Amino acid sequence: MGGRLMQIGEVSERTGLSLRTIRHYEDVGVVAPSERSAGGFRLYTEAEVRRLALARRMRPLGFCLEDVRAVLDVLEQLPDGGGPLPETDEQVHEELVARLRSYGVEADARCDDLRRQLASAEDFARSLHGHLARLTEADEAGREAAR
């Protein structure tokens, strides 16, 4: 096997996932270490780090682990350059692209929902800051009048 192997601690640092989450993802079939060291430590390749990083980016959108596995599996089957699949028929390729497209549509919808939620949260934060500013001004005016 080519490429550098990384222990779980380095993978955690690179992906922003906790050791516990990486182990859980192994347990549920999202990713598996390529090898184990002589001491039994999990060893990961760059491809597995990319799988974990993609899974992490899907989490804020609320995709379940089944969806994460499905997207990763589709991406694994499609060529990186977007060309035809080696040794498969065009129908299989079209089905994979359609599945990926449907996840893209769902991700866009979830992003839109998150943007609406963020706008509402920012509006709330602005209103709190406005209240605080008015209270601070009133306190300062009261202190000035007391002098």
Side-chain angles (χ1 to χ4, degrees):
M1 171 184 352
R4 185 172 79 82
L5 297 174
M6 294 163 267
Q7 289 187 1
I8 195 169
E10 182 179 351
V11 173
S12 173
E13 287 177 25
R14 293 207 29 214
T15 61
L17 295 169
S18 69
L19 302 178
R20 182 177 178 192
T21 298
I22 295 169
R23 288 184 193 111
H24 176 68
Y25 281 174
E26 178 184 351
D27 291 342
V28 298
V30 170
V31 69
S34 288
E35 294 181 31
R36 293 236 181 205
S37 70
F41 294 104
R42 294 166 172 85
L43 299 173
Y44 297 88
T45 64
E46 190 63 40
E48 288 140 6
V49 171
R50 283 192 305 270
R51 277 181 74 92
L52 287 165
L54 189 130
R56 184 176 190 283
R57 291 192 313 268
M58 290 179 72
R59 281 181 15 187
L61 296 177
F63 284 103
C64 67
L65 286 174
E66 184 178 310
D67 290 331
V68 171
R69 279 192 304 268
V71 168
L72 290 168
D73 290 344
V74 167
L75 289 172
E76 236 175 45
Q77 294 176 61
L78 289 170
D80 285 337
L85 293 174
E87 301 181 23
T88 60
D89 62 31
E90 192 173 317
Q91 182 180 352
V92 170
H93 185 265
E94 288 175 14
E95 289 171 6
L96 290 170
V97 170
R99 285 176 56 200
L100 194 58
R101 187 174 292 118
S102 71
Y103 278 109
V105 168
E106 181 64 26
D108 288 342
R110 292 178 185 208
C111 284
D112 288 343
D113 186 47
L114 285 172
R115 282 186 201 96
R116 284 189 294 276
Q117 289 180 42
L118 179 59
S120 178
E122 288 174 333
D123 185 47
F124 172 71
R126 277 190 299 276
S127 73
L128 285 179
H129 290 292
H131 288 296
L132 288 170
R134 287 188 296 281
L135 288 172
T136 302
E137 290 170 7
D139 285 346
E140 289 173 6
R143 278 190 228 118
E144 289 286 323
R147 288 185 194 170

